[in-house]
Amino acid sequence: VMRLGVRSGDPMRLDRDIEMIREFADGLVVQVKDFVRETTVDSRRAERRICADILSAAVRRMERIHGPQRVVESLDPALDRLACDENLGRVVGNLLDNALRASGAGDVVHLYATVEAGWIRIVVSDEGCGLTDYGHQHAFDPGFSTRREIGGMGIGLALSREMVEALGGEIHLDPG
């Protein structure tokens, strides 16, 4: 940053610009957190539907975007009897979208969902190249994206984590 100030000929202007960018970024983070809080703060008011239906709808939505037969789903039959918050569909849709974008055009992504000891365990797996150590450490940070050059904004996984935690769950990313 110091070298940029010297190159621009106006280090004070550069400092002001950096501060403006920092304030803008901080404001975006607050807005994203407010959005997540508003959509997940009271899951009793949120629409609840059958879990299997929510997951299958997320798969259909992603196949409309990425092409048919790109997602193989394996759902525990117990999910036909459980009601889930609709935000689960948003989270799974985001995970599937990320996995499909990380995979080759002909590759499939797998969605596994089971009921284990009173919890729903959902696994999305792909054959993409995986993340670097740095990417793995920062994948859930608001604004972090490995697809910035093609329009990635870096809010999907951050929002997904917030929604999952608001619903009382956990989300993990394998280094793959």
Side-chain angles (χ1 to χ4, degrees), residues 27 35 40-41 45 47 67 69 75-77 84 114 161 164 173:
F35 168 77
T40 60
V41 75
R45 286 188 287 165
E47 179 100 15
Q69 300 177 349
L75 306 181
D76 186 332
C84 294
T114 59
R161 174 175 267 174
V164 167
L173 181 64

Side-chain angles (χ1 to χ4, degrees), residues 47-52 54 79 82-86 88 120:
E47 179 100 15
R48 293 180 65 81
R49 295 189 3 233
I50 298 298
C51 292
I54 290 172
L79 294 168
L82 292 176
C84 294
D85 187 293
E86 280 197 332
L88 181 64
I120 300 170

